[in-house]
Amino acid sequence: MVDSRLSQRILLFSLCFIFSFIIIIFVIKRSSLIENTKNNIDSIISSTSCKHISIDELDQWFHSKTWNEIPKIIHQTWKNKTLRQRQARWRQTWCEQYTGWYYHLWTDDENDLFVQTKFPWFYSTYKQLSPAILRVDSVRYLYMLYYGGLYIDLDYESIRRVDELFNNKYVVLSLINYSFQSMNSVPNSWIASRPNHPLWTYILYRIMLLWSRVTDQERNEFWNGKAEFFTGPQSLFEGLMFYLHSNQHTDQTLDQLFGNRENQKSDSIFEVANITFLGPKLINAYDWMNGIGADVCSAEKPTFDENKCKDIVKPIYAITYWSHSYGHGHENDAKYLGNKRIR
């Protein structure tokens, strides 16, 4: 009788053990299946496109890490979420190629809240800046200072990924040409940076200082070159030189800092005081200052032809068509940069 009860207990214990083991195996396999499915979905997403994220998602991702590199986030900005047709198509070339990157299109309203909450010391200047392009210029420096990453104007088309050039870099700028006397040769239309680099602070304080000195009439009137001088490439250039001279303890020009002029080729890369400069053909390709290919490379021309333009200037990583969407009377032209203009 005792042996029979003992046998029953042993059998019951064995069945319970086997049943528990089966349940554990089932749970493990199910969890693994869920995780693999999630990873496969993530892999599919990351292998086909960048990931569009909200500002809250951007903040959560950004603050979850300590940054010793250029963050993989692409910033672009427009007055709202509705891009013109060609802007949307050019934007897509970046998203399709920069898989594994995050992307956010900033609107005017989002920019205002971003500056107000993250940079209250700059906000009063920001609100006064006029026309709108001055605010659009300024906020890109603030993206770089706060988040870092890659800022790109909406008239750039990606040819192939450039992030291989970002390894161990601090700030990466792209040149139009080597005519540095013009102060427009280092555009602010394509810039990359680690967060909190001091270069951007030099530029922002320059904007604040110059804007505080102009008269009310000058602030409200339009003159050719106003945007370039106050917040655009000339502002970037002067802030850059002030930073380089302070860092290098020198008064040398950018030409001199680059060294021998024979090294200044269209695909050259220069390093000065942790600032990387990419030669004209690497990122910009089309140089509006020298006029080569202007009839087919300028998005403002009725003869604009992207394919012919690329045949002429042969871009390596990217190309800009200098559409001047915020200037030259195009702001309120809903048909500008529409697909019907493509040849």
Side-chain angles (χ1 to χ4, degrees), residues 128-175:
Q128 295 174 23
L129 293 172
S130 180
I133 182 59
L134 274 68
R135 295 190 294 276
V136 175
D137 276 338
S138 299
V139 77
R140 67 194 64 184
Y141 307 133
L142 295 170
Y143 301 153
M144 294 298 99
L145 182 58
Y146 190 83
Y147 295 110
L150 173 61
Y151 170 81
I152 312 165
D153 271 359
L154 284 164
D155 52 10
Y156 273 78
E157 179 182 349
S158 178
I159 304 301
R160 66 186 178 96
R161 291 176 69 129
V162 73
D163 52 336
E164 63 187 14
L165 302 180
F166 288 178
N167 293 334
N168 302 315
K169 306 302 183 189
Y170 291 83
V171 171
V172 184
L173 302 175
S174 59
L175 303 174

Side-chain angles (χ1 to χ4, degrees), residues 287-313:
D287 175 8
W288 60 266
M289 295 172 67
N290 68 29
I292 296 175
D295 288 342
V296 294
C297 290
S298 171
E300 295 186 284
K301 299 287 183 68
T303 51
F304 175 55
D305 187 316
E306 298 166 51
N307 293 327
K308 288 183 179 179
C309 176
K310 283 181 276 195
D311 285 342
I312 293 172
V313 300

Side-chain angles (χ1 to χ4, degrees), residues 51-182:
K51 181 180 180 182
H52 291 245
I53 57 175
S54 67
I55 295 174
D56 288 341
E57 290 171 326
L58 172 58
D59 282 337
Q60 185 177 3
W61 167 73
F62 177 76
H63 293 297
S64 69
K65 299 185 178 184
T66 300
W67 294 101
N68 296 311
E69 61 184 0
I70 295 175
K72 293 185 176 182
I73 170 70
I74 294 174
H75 306 272
Q76 292 190 299
T77 187
W78 187 240
K79 50 190 174 182
N80 51 48
K81 294 293 185 182
T82 304
L83 298 180
R84 292 165 177 169
Q85 289 172 305
R86 285 217 307 270
Q87 289 175 326
R89 183 163 54 80
W90 292 331
R91 184 266 298 274
Q92 193 60 24
T93 64
W94 295 92
C95 221
E96 288 175 351
Q97 293 181 22
Y98 283 68
T99 55
W101 280 60
Y102 292 101
Y103 176 92
H104 187 75
L105 177 68
W106 295 81
T107 66
D108 287 352
D109 289 342
E110 289 176 341
N111 286 336
D112 188 89
L113 184 60
F114 169 64
V115 181
Q116 185 178 11
T117 56
K118 300 295 197 299
F119 297 96
W121 52 268
F122 188 74
Y123 186 65
S124 61
T125 299
Y126 180 81
K127 290 295 288 184
Q128 295 174 23
L129 293 172
S130 180
I133 182 59
L134 274 68
R135 295 190 294 276
V136 175
D137 276 338
S138 299
V139 77
R140 67 194 64 184
Y141 307 133
L142 295 170
Y143 301 153
M144 294 298 99
L145 182 58
Y146 190 83
Y147 295 110
L150 173 61
Y151 170 81
I152 312 165
D153 271 359
L154 284 164
D155 52 10
Y156 273 78
E157 179 182 349
S158 178
I159 304 301
R160 66 186 178 96
R161 291 176 69 129
V162 73
D163 52 336
E164 63 187 14
L165 302 180
F166 288 178
N167 293 334
N168 302 315
K169 306 302 183 189
Y170 291 83
V171 171
V172 184
L173 302 175
S174 59
L175 303 174
I176 301 178
N177 53 42
Y178 295 102
S179 302
F180 300 120
Q181 297 82 359
S182 73

Side-chain angles (χ1 to χ4, degrees), residues 41-50 96 98-101 161:
I41 292 172
D42 289 343
S43 176
I44 291 170
I45 292 173
S46 65
S47 66
T48 58
S49 182
C50 68
E96 288 175 351
Y98 283 68
T99 55
W101 280 60
R161 291 176 69 129

